Amino acid sequence: MLAHDGHNCLDVDECLDNNGGCQHTCINVMGSYECRCKEGFFLSDNQHTCIHRSEEGLSCMNTNHGCSHICKEAPRGSVACECRPGFELAKNQRDCILTCNHGNGGCQHSCEDTAEGPECSCHPQYKMHADGRSCLEPEDPALEVTESNATSVADGDKRVKRRLLMETCAVNNGGCDRTCKDTSTGVHCSCPVGFTLQLDGKTCKDIDECQTRNGGCDHFCKNTMGSFDCSCRKGFKLLTDEKSCQDVDECSLDRTCDHSCINHPGTFTCACNKGYTLYGFTHCGDTNECSINNGGCQQVCVNTVGSYECQCHSTYKLHWNKKDCVASCDLSCLVKRTEKRLRKAIRTLRKAAQREQFHLQLSGMDLEVAKKPPRTSERRVESCAVGQGHVGNQCVSCRAGTYYDGAQERCILCPNGTFQNEEGQITCEPCPRPDNPGPLKTPEAWNASDCGGLCQPGEYSADGFTPCQPCALGTFQPEAGRTSCFPCGGGLPTKHLGATSFQECETRVQCSPGHFYNTTTHRCIRCPAGTYQPEFGKNSCVSCPGNTMTDFDGSTNITQCKNRRCGGELGDFTGYIESPNYPGNYPANTECTWTINPPPKRRILIVVPEIFLPIEDDCGDYLVMRKTSSSNSVTTYETCQTYERPIAFTSRSKKLWIQFKSNEGNSARGFQVPYVTYDEDYQELIEDIVRDGRLYASENHQEILKDKKLIKALFDVLAHPQNYFKYTAQESREMFPRSFIRLLRSKVSRFLRPYK
């Protein structure tokens, strides 16, 4: 980076930013940095993560095996030599030869790589110095000296020196920082885009574009040497103009939410269907309503998937409120009910008789009774069954909340003070307690609760309607329209009449969240595993939804309910692995194993967008990828730390055995790691891409490896290279930043040309 004086350059210590992305140790060097591993580990191919050393095979730890620069451990227990940037490996595969890429090969003017090393040459009208690297301006013939004229020799030497001292782009680039051009008046210095020429006419200073209108960036602007980078807040993505930010619609992605997804700017929320509870941020599990105050049921509560139902003991039947139980109808009750039905039938017959035409159904025979038969010239209208009216040429049953009026020959709404909860009826039932109905309902009541006048929470009556009585001392009722109140239990009193919850019962101690009050022992008991309680002073704990379980007892929040199933989908071409309960925290003491075994002649590419593991000295939670379950087999990846910077790498073995293990300590979000298998003929191409530092150089490129939609498109091409050509140039520009396309174009096109 440029120093404050605008002339000198200072080294950037990359290790200060997230340890340079190194898993173990980051060592800053002039103009760069390098990662190193602790004893017993070696650096993986991605040059950042460390792999536990196998006991088998060669090792670079104690010897460099004759390598001039770098000794690197290779698959199958072998080693290979590599050279530092600017050098290339000699034919003996050990020595490193200087190239023109390193300091221009030491040449002042032109440099050309040869088998023996860099070969220097000079611009026209210059000649090579004896050192074979420097270039000198040739002497003017008019300045030839003779032995007899010492004065002329001295004068000529002075003129030559003056000419040599004259500024020229051929010598030290004319003193210019960047571009130098020889002109008739001397050298002219200029700067590339992103730099400005200083007052000395030679030095170039970086322009901080972020100081002017935030560089045109929507969200964040980060100045870089000679340029700048725009980035977006979490939940947004950078568009192809590399300045604008657009909300990421997470709801358009696969597997975002189990049920419903609601997108918001920069984020999203998941919602569950009725009868289900949200857990782990995105998952839905069946709610066990019976675990909360017995579901409000007076007698028996039965949980069902997505719902529940109350049941009654024998000799009882369910009340209209579907929660209370009332005594079954005896003989006297049956007589009264039959009389009531007969009175309704008589009323219906009378109405039909007044119309002088009605329909009877006796012993399975339909009879039409009419005063006068219809004239033959009139079109005969088909008769409908009881409780049905004509809609067009069809007979349709009257819906709940209505009844069939014979006089008007149509279905009409139940009048005030009545209700009907069944279809195809010819009358409406009177609301309970018509003498004191309470607030009148609206028409089309289809349930007794629509009649109004319900007893409020803290009240009860014989039928759930007014007039109501307050719950007695020592009892409570949290719901409306109930026929009884729940006892506090254990002889506990309430503070006043009409209590609406157990929290109004005067317990001997107040239980904190994660506990419930036992009315038998009058003590606070920790919620058992698989349940939780977020409130104070409760007499029960809430069951975890679905198949989730808590790690320990005494849980206080639903976030502690976790699914222990190991996630993922393993396919021949693409797939992913996922820690249990992701994106919620994974459970304690869990172990998952996956095996990726691709088809013949295919290799595996892994992308780890991010991984969250707790920081622990003993690496209690870890993810490892090896050839087999043996700890001595070839290891591709191993980590026990959190990494928010993405990384991509190829498997060091043709198949992968993957294990994730957690201890009983702290927990974290875990991971969702996608993979793709590709034709082994493209091994060199894929490794060239994932090992190119430019892939991770900018935050924009890093976000690509975190974008599920873009990763899916990339994997589509890697799994089936011919699909590269189904993406038009316009589609590619709309999907990826220009810098990313430039990175891949030359690499991919060279390998995919045969598929056109």
Side-chain angles (χ1 to χ4, degrees), residues 42 45 51-57 73-78 603 624-638 650-657:
F42 66 91
D45 292 344
I51 298 174
H52 191 272
R53 188 175 306 283
S54 171
E55 296 179 0
E56 301 175 358
E73 295 181 11
R76 301 178 181 176
S78 62
R603 303 299 295 264
V624 62
M625 302 181 186
R626 293 196 292 257
K627 181 178 180 180
T628 67
S629 59
S630 171
S631 59
N632 294 327
S633 64
V634 176
T635 303
T636 292
Y637 179 82
E638 185 174 9
T650 57
S651 171
R652 302 179 71 211
S653 53
K654 288 193 174 181
K655 66 177 182 177
L656 274 181
W657 178 86

Short mmCIF file of all heavy atoms in Angstrom, two decimals, residues 42 45 51-57 73-78 603 624-638 650-657:
data_model
loop_
_atom_site.label_atom_id
_atom_site.label_comp_id
_atom_site.label_asym_id
_atom_site.label_seq_id
_atom_site.Cartn_x
_atom_site.Cartn_y
_atom_site.Cartn_z
N PHE A 42 0.00 -30.85 8.00
CA PHE A 42 0.64 -30.27 6.83
C PHE A 42 -0.40 -29.46 6.05
O PHE A 42 -1.61 -29.67 6.19
CB PHE A 42 1.28 -31.33 5.94
CG PHE A 42 0.32 -32.28 5.28
CD1 PHE A 42 -0.21 -32.00 4.02
CD2 PHE A 42 -0.04 -33.46 5.91
CE1 PHE A 42 -1.09 -32.88 3.42
CE2 PHE A 42 -0.92 -34.34 5.31
CZ PHE A 42 -1.45 -34.04 4.06
N ASP A 45 -3.93 -28.52 -0.21
CA ASP A 45 -3.73 -27.92 -1.53
C ASP A 45 -4.24 -26.49 -1.61
O ASP A 45 -3.78 -25.70 -2.43
CB ASP A 45 -4.43 -28.77 -2.60
CG ASP A 45 -3.76 -30.12 -2.77
OD1 ASP A 45 -2.61 -30.26 -2.30
OD2 ASP A 45 -4.37 -31.01 -3.37
N ILE A 51 -4.05 -30.32 7.46
CA ILE A 51 -4.51 -31.71 7.48
C ILE A 51 -3.62 -32.51 8.42
O ILE A 51 -2.39 -32.36 8.41
CB ILE A 51 -4.48 -32.33 6.07
CG1 ILE A 51 -5.44 -31.56 5.14
CG2 ILE A 51 -4.83 -33.80 6.10
CD1 ILE A 51 -5.37 -31.99 3.70
N HIS A 52 -4.26 -33.34 9.22
CA HIS A 52 -3.51 -34.18 10.15
C HIS A 52 -2.62 -35.14 9.38
O HIS A 52 -3.05 -35.79 8.43
CB HIS A 52 -4.48 -34.96 11.05
CG HIS A 52 -3.79 -35.65 12.20
ND1 HIS A 52 -3.27 -36.91 12.10
CD2 HIS A 52 -3.53 -35.23 13.45
CE1 HIS A 52 -2.72 -37.26 13.25
NE2 HIS A 52 -2.87 -36.25 14.10
N ARG A 53 -1.37 -35.22 9.80
CA ARG A 53 -0.39 -35.99 9.05
C ARG A 53 -0.63 -37.49 9.20
O ARG A 53 -0.85 -38.00 10.28
CB ARG A 53 1.01 -35.65 9.55
CG ARG A 53 2.12 -36.26 8.71
CD ARG A 53 3.47 -35.76 9.22
NE ARG A 53 3.49 -34.32 9.26
CZ ARG A 53 3.63 -33.55 8.19
NH1 ARG A 53 3.75 -34.10 7.00
NH2 ARG A 53 3.63 -32.24 8.30
N SER A 54 -0.64 -38.18 8.06
CA SER A 54 -0.73 -39.63 8.06
C SER A 54 0.61 -40.23 8.46
O SER A 54 1.68 -39.68 8.19
CB SER A 54 -1.15 -40.13 6.67
OG SER A 54 -1.04 -41.52 6.60
N GLU A 55 0.56 -41.36 9.11
CA GLU A 55 1.79 -42.04 9.51
C GLU A 55 2.48 -42.71 8.33
O GLU A 55 3.63 -43.12 8.42
CB GLU A 55 1.47 -43.09 10.59
CG GLU A 55 0.93 -42.45 11.88
CD GLU A 55 0.60 -43.49 12.92
OE1 GLU A 55 0.80 -44.69 12.62
OE2 GLU A 55 0.17 -43.13 14.02
N GLU A 56 1.73 -42.85 7.23
CA GLU A 56 2.29 -43.50 6.07
C GLU A 56 2.80 -42.47 5.07
O GLU A 56 2.36 -41.34 5.05
CB GLU A 56 1.24 -44.38 5.40
CG GLU A 56 0.68 -45.46 6.33
CD GLU A 56 -0.44 -46.22 5.67
OE1 GLU A 56 -0.78 -45.89 4.53
OE2 GLU A 56 -0.95 -47.16 6.29
N GLY A 57 3.73 -42.85 4.20
CA GLY A 57 4.17 -42.00 3.11
C GLY A 57 5.27 -41.04 3.51
O GLY A 57 5.71 -40.95 4.65
N GLU A 73 3.74 -32.07 0.09
CA GLU A 73 3.26 -33.44 0.15
C GLU A 73 2.13 -33.63 -0.85
O GLU A 73 1.22 -32.81 -0.94
CB GLU A 73 2.79 -33.75 1.57
CG GLU A 73 3.95 -33.71 2.57
CD GLU A 73 3.50 -34.02 3.98
OE1 GLU A 73 2.36 -34.47 4.14
OE2 GLU A 73 4.28 -33.81 4.91
N ALA A 74 2.18 -34.73 -1.59
CA ALA A 74 1.22 -35.02 -2.64
C ALA A 74 0.42 -36.25 -2.24
O ALA A 74 0.76 -36.96 -1.29
CB ALA A 74 1.94 -35.24 -3.97
N PRO A 75 -0.70 -36.51 -2.96
CA PRO A 75 -1.50 -37.71 -2.66
C PRO A 75 -0.67 -38.98 -2.77
O PRO A 75 0.38 -39.03 -3.39
CB PRO A 75 -2.61 -37.65 -3.71
CG PRO A 75 -2.68 -36.21 -4.11
CD PRO A 75 -1.28 -35.70 -4.01
N ARG A 76 -1.19 -40.03 -2.12
CA ARG A 76 -0.59 -41.37 -2.15
C ARG A 76 0.79 -41.39 -1.49
O ARG A 76 1.65 -42.18 -1.85
CB ARG A 76 -0.50 -41.90 -3.57
CG ARG A 76 -1.87 -41.98 -4.26
CD ARG A 76 -1.73 -42.46 -5.69
NE ARG A 76 -3.03 -42.52 -6.35
CZ ARG A 76 -3.21 -42.83 -7.63
NH1 ARG A 76 -2.16 -43.12 -8.38
NH2 ARG A 76 -4.42 -42.84 -8.15
N GLY A 77 1.02 -40.49 -0.53
CA GLY A 77 2.23 -40.54 0.26
C GLY A 77 3.48 -40.07 -0.43
O GLY A 77 4.58 -40.35 0.03
N SER A 78 3.39 -39.36 -1.55
CA SER A 78 4.58 -38.88 -2.26
C SER A 78 4.78 -37.40 -1.96
O SER A 78 3.97 -36.76 -1.28
CB SER A 78 4.42 -39.11 -3.76
OG SER A 78 3.32 -38.37 -4.25
N ARG A 603 -14.45 -37.25 -10.44
CA ARG A 603 -13.80 -36.77 -9.23
C ARG A 603 -14.75 -35.82 -8.49
O ARG A 603 -15.78 -35.41 -9.01
CB ARG A 603 -12.48 -36.05 -9.56
CG ARG A 603 -11.49 -36.91 -10.33
CD ARG A 603 -11.08 -38.15 -9.54
NE ARG A 603 -10.35 -37.81 -8.34
CZ ARG A 603 -9.02 -37.79 -8.25
NH1 ARG A 603 -8.29 -38.09 -9.31
NH2 ARG A 603 -8.43 -37.48 -7.12
N VAL A 624 -14.35 -33.74 9.27
CA VAL A 624 -13.18 -34.32 8.60
C VAL A 624 -13.65 -35.05 7.34
O VAL A 624 -14.72 -35.65 7.32
CB VAL A 624 -12.41 -35.27 9.53
CG1 VAL A 624 -13.27 -36.44 9.95
CG2 VAL A 624 -11.12 -35.76 8.88
N MET A 625 -12.84 -34.95 6.27
CA MET A 625 -13.11 -35.64 5.02
C MET A 625 -11.88 -36.47 4.66
O MET A 625 -10.80 -35.92 4.45
CB MET A 625 -13.42 -34.64 3.90
CG MET A 625 -14.60 -33.72 4.19
SD MET A 625 -14.93 -32.59 2.82
CE MET A 625 -16.21 -31.55 3.56
N ARG A 626 -12.07 -37.78 4.59
CA ARG A 626 -10.96 -38.70 4.30
C ARG A 626 -11.39 -39.71 3.24
O ARG A 626 -12.55 -39.80 2.88
CB ARG A 626 -10.53 -39.44 5.58
CG ARG A 626 -9.92 -38.57 6.64
CD ARG A 626 -9.18 -39.42 7.66
NE ARG A 626 -10.07 -40.22 8.47
CZ ARG A 626 -10.42 -39.93 9.72
NH1 ARG A 626 -9.95 -38.83 10.29
NH2 ARG A 626 -11.23 -40.72 10.40
N LYS A 627 -10.39 -40.49 2.82
CA LYS A 627 -10.67 -41.53 1.84
C LYS A 627 -11.53 -42.62 2.45
O LYS A 627 -12.48 -43.11 1.85
CB LYS A 627 -9.35 -42.11 1.31
CG LYS A 627 -9.54 -43.20 0.27
CD LYS A 627 -8.19 -43.70 -0.23
CE LYS A 627 -8.38 -44.79 -1.28
NZ LYS A 627 -7.08 -45.28 -1.79
N THR A 628 -11.18 -43.03 3.68
CA THR A 628 -11.94 -44.06 4.40
C THR A 628 -12.08 -43.63 5.85
O THR A 628 -11.59 -42.58 6.26
CB THR A 628 -11.24 -45.43 4.33
OG1 THR A 628 -10.00 -45.36 5.07
CG2 THR A 628 -10.94 -45.84 2.89
N SER A 629 -12.72 -44.48 6.65
CA SER A 629 -12.90 -44.17 8.07
C SER A 629 -11.61 -44.31 8.86
O SER A 629 -11.53 -43.85 10.00
CB SER A 629 -13.98 -45.08 8.66
OG SER A 629 -13.60 -46.45 8.51
N SER A 630 -10.58 -44.91 8.27
CA SER A 630 -9.30 -45.07 8.96
C SER A 630 -8.63 -43.71 9.16
O SER A 630 -8.54 -42.91 8.23
CB SER A 630 -8.38 -46.00 8.17
OG SER A 630 -7.07 -45.99 8.71
N SER A 631 -8.16 -43.45 10.35
CA SER A 631 -7.49 -42.18 10.64
C SER A 631 -6.18 -42.05 9.88
O SER A 631 -5.63 -40.94 9.78
CB SER A 631 -7.24 -42.06 12.15
OG SER A 631 -6.42 -43.13 12.60
N ASN A 632 -5.66 -43.13 9.32
CA ASN A 632 -4.41 -43.09 8.57
C ASN A 632 -4.63 -42.91 7.07
O ASN A 632 -3.66 -42.82 6.31
CB ASN A 632 -3.61 -44.38 8.80
CG ASN A 632 -3.14 -44.51 10.23
OD1 ASN A 632 -2.84 -43.51 10.88
ND2 ASN A 632 -3.09 -45.73 10.73
N SER A 633 -5.89 -42.86 6.64
CA SER A 633 -6.15 -42.73 5.20
C SER A 633 -5.92 -41.29 4.75
O SER A 633 -5.82 -40.37 5.57
CB SER A 633 -7.58 -43.18 4.87
OG SER A 633 -8.52 -42.32 5.50
N VAL A 634 -5.85 -41.11 3.43
CA VAL A 634 -5.57 -39.79 2.86
C VAL A 634 -6.67 -38.81 3.25
O VAL A 634 -7.86 -39.07 3.05
CB VAL A 634 -5.48 -39.89 1.33
CG1 VAL A 634 -5.29 -38.50 0.72
CG2 VAL A 634 -4.32 -40.79 0.93
N THR A 635 -6.28 -37.70 3.84
CA THR A 635 -7.22 -36.68 4.32
C THR A 635 -7.28 -35.51 3.35
O THR A 635 -6.25 -35.00 2.92
CB THR A 635 -6.82 -36.18 5.72
OG1 THR A 635 -6.75 -37.29 6.62
CG2 THR A 635 -7.82 -35.16 6.24
N THR A 636 -8.50 -35.10 3.00
CA THR A 636 -8.71 -33.96 2.11
C THR A 636 -8.97 -32.68 2.88
O THR A 636 -8.46 -31.62 2.52
CB THR A 636 -9.89 -34.25 1.16
OG1 THR A 636 -9.52 -35.29 0.25
CG2 THR A 636 -10.25 -33.00 0.35
N TYR A 637 -9.74 -32.77 3.94
CA TYR A 637 -10.14 -31.55 4.67
C TYR A 637 -10.41 -31.92 6.12
O TYR A 637 -10.96 -32.98 6.41
CB TYR A 637 -11.40 -30.96 4.03
CG TYR A 637 -11.94 -29.72 4.70
CD1 TYR A 637 -11.41 -28.47 4.43
CD2 TYR A 637 -13.00 -29.80 5.60
CE1 TYR A 637 -11.92 -27.32 5.03
CE2 TYR A 637 -13.53 -28.66 6.20
CZ TYR A 637 -12.98 -27.42 5.92
OH TYR A 637 -13.48 -26.30 6.52
N GLU A 638 -10.02 -31.03 7.01
CA GLU A 638 -10.26 -31.25 8.43
C GLU A 638 -10.26 -29.90 9.14
O GLU A 638 -9.35 -29.08 8.95
CB GLU A 638 -9.17 -32.16 9.03
CG GLU A 638 -9.43 -32.52 10.49
CD GLU A 638 -8.41 -33.53 11.01
OE1 GLU A 638 -7.43 -33.80 10.28
OE2 GLU A 638 -8.59 -34.04 12.12
N THR A 650 -10.61 -29.78 -4.36
CA THR A 650 -10.90 -31.09 -4.94
C THR A 650 -10.49 -32.17 -3.96
O THR A 650 -9.58 -31.99 -3.14
CB THR A 650 -10.15 -31.29 -6.26
OG1 THR A 650 -8.74 -31.12 -6.02
CG2 THR A 650 -10.61 -30.28 -7.30
N SER A 651 -11.17 -33.28 -4.04
CA SER A 651 -10.87 -34.40 -3.16
C SER A 651 -9.52 -35.02 -3.54
O SER A 651 -9.19 -35.14 -4.71
CB SER A 651 -11.98 -35.45 -3.27
OG SER A 651 -11.61 -36.63 -2.58
N ARG A 652 -8.77 -35.39 -2.51
CA ARG A 652 -7.48 -36.04 -2.75
C ARG A 652 -7.64 -37.53 -3.01
O ARG A 652 -6.66 -38.22 -3.27
CB ARG A 652 -6.55 -35.81 -1.55
CG ARG A 652 -6.30 -34.34 -1.25
CD ARG A 652 -5.40 -34.17 -0.04
NE ARG A 652 -4.04 -34.55 -0.32
CZ ARG A 652 -3.20 -35.06 0.59
NH1 ARG A 652 -3.63 -35.29 1.82
NH2 ARG A 652 -1.97 -35.37 0.26
N SER A 653 -8.86 -38.02 -2.91
CA SER A 653 -9.14 -39.43 -3.19
C SER A 653 -10.40 -39.50 -4.05
O SER A 653 -11.18 -38.55 -4.12
CB SER A 653 -9.35 -40.21 -1.89
OG SER A 653 -10.33 -39.59 -1.08
N LYS A 654 -10.60 -40.62 -4.72
CA LYS A 654 -11.72 -40.73 -5.65
C LYS A 654 -13.06 -40.81 -4.93
O LYS A 654 -14.09 -40.47 -5.49
CB LYS A 654 -11.53 -41.94 -6.56
CG LYS A 654 -10.42 -41.73 -7.59
CD LYS A 654 -10.46 -42.79 -8.67
CE LYS A 654 -9.45 -42.48 -9.77
NZ LYS A 654 -9.49 -43.48 -10.85
N LYS A 655 -13.07 -41.26 -3.70
CA LYS A 655 -14.30 -41.24 -2.91
C LYS A 655 -14.00 -40.61 -1.55
O LYS A 655 -12.84 -40.52 -1.14
CB LYS A 655 -14.87 -42.65 -2.74
CG LYS A 655 -14.02 -43.60 -1.91
CD LYS A 655 -14.72 -44.94 -1.76
CE LYS A 655 -13.89 -45.90 -0.88
NZ LYS A 655 -14.60 -47.17 -0.66
N LEU A 656 -15.04 -40.17 -0.89
CA LEU A 656 -14.86 -39.46 0.36
C LEU A 656 -15.72 -40.08 1.46
O LEU A 656 -16.91 -40.37 1.26
CB LEU A 656 -15.24 -37.99 0.21
CG LEU A 656 -14.19 -37.01 -0.29
CD1 LEU A 656 -14.76 -35.61 -0.34
CD2 LEU A 656 -12.95 -37.04 0.59
N TRP A 657 -15.09 -40.26 2.61
CA TRP A 657 -15.80 -40.61 3.84
C TRP A 657 -15.77 -39.37 4.72
O TRP A 657 -14.71 -38.83 5.02
CB TRP A 657 -15.09 -41.78 4.53
CG TRP A 657 -15.72 -42.19 5.84
CD1 TRP A 657 -16.75 -43.05 6.03
CD2 TRP A 657 -15.32 -41.76 7.15
NE1 TRP A 657 -17.04 -43.17 7.37
CE2 TRP A 657 -16.16 -42.40 8.08
CE3 TRP A 657 -14.34 -40.89 7.62
CZ2 TRP A 657 -16.06 -42.20 9.45
CZ3 TRP A 657 -14.23 -40.69 8.99
CH2 TRP A 657 -15.07 -41.33 9.89
#
